[in-house]
Amino acid sequence: MRPRSGLDRGDGRRQGTGDRVSADLLQRTGTRDSTVLHRLLPEEKRRGHKELTIPPRAGPARARLPSTQGLTRRFGDFTAVDHVTLSIERGEIFGFLGSNGCGKSTTMKMLTGLLPPTEGTATLFGSSVEAAASRSARTSAT
């Protein structure tokens, strides 16, 4: 018999995790939210646990480091990135997760000015990424 991990259903299949925790896990652990994963740990690993509370950031509006509005990139009939709108503030940690071919690298290339968008806008520190890329290209050409 193989050892059961906290997310092992006991029938050889793994219990999925993600934005929505399954009703089965919530019922088994008597929780109503993502603390379910903590409850699945063995008691000795849970001992001494203190809940981390991250207060909301206060203060004036922060600079939007990268920001996009309707960012889209098409290659012929293929749409690689479809109307992405995002805004990341100073101090935020942000990551792109997704399967191969879902547009992560294409989005980053547009955010860095290596690839122009078909539609939409991208700004970095309030300046248009396309304009910054054009200035950089002119400067490196001289």
Side-chain angles (χ1 to χ4, degrees), residues 38-49:
H38 178 258
R39 292 274 178 96
L40 290 170
L41 291 170
E43 179 60 39
E44 64 272 7
K45 298 232 181 211
R46 287 189 279 157
R47 245 180 253 128
H49 170 74

Side-chain angles (χ1 to χ4, degrees), residues 25-39:
L25 280 178
L26 296 175
Q27 185 177 17
R28 283 183 10 207
T29 58
T31 58
R32 292 181 297 167
D33 56 25
S34 62
T35 60
V36 65
L37 299 176
H38 178 258
R39 292 274 178 96

Side-chain angles (χ1 to χ4, degrees), residues 7-8 13 16 20 23 27 48 51 55 60 63 75 83-84 97 101 128 131 135:
L7 297 177
D8 192 319
R13 294 184 297 159
R20 291 186 285 149
Q27 185 177 17
E51 189 168 331
F75 297 97
H83 296 91
V84 171
L97 301 175
S128 169
R135 280 192 305 274

Side-chain angles (χ1 to χ4, degrees), residues 34-141:
S34 62
T35 60
V36 65
L37 299 176
H38 178 258
R39 292 274 178 96
L40 290 170
L41 291 170
E43 179 60 39
E44 64 272 7
K45 298 232 181 211
R46 287 189 279 157
R47 245 180 253 128
H49 170 74
K50 293 182 181 144
E51 189 168 331
L52 174 65
T53 302
I54 301 173
R57 293 188 322 219
R62 303 200 191 289
R64 306 279 191 232
L65 303 183
S67 179
T68 67
Q69 185 69 40
L71 200 63
T72 301
R73 177 61 194 199
R74 291 187 190 87
F75 297 97
D77 291 338
F78 178 72
T79 302
V81 176
D82 194 12
H83 296 91
V84 171
T85 298
L86 61 88
S87 180
I88 305 168
E89 294 182 3
R90 182 180 305 274
E92 288 185 310
I93 298 172
F94 192 87
F96 287 136
L97 301 175
S99 59
N100 292 343
C102 73
K104 300 178 302 288
S105 295
T106 303
T107 301
M108 291 304 294
K109 287 177 183 176
M110 288 188 288
L111 283 174
T112 57
L114 295 173
L115 186 65
T118 306
E119 289 178 35
T121 60
T123 60
L124 201 54
F125 298 106
S127 297
S128 169
V129 171
E130 288 182 84
S134 297
R135 280 192 305 274
S136 177
R138 283 193 306 269
T139 304
S140 62

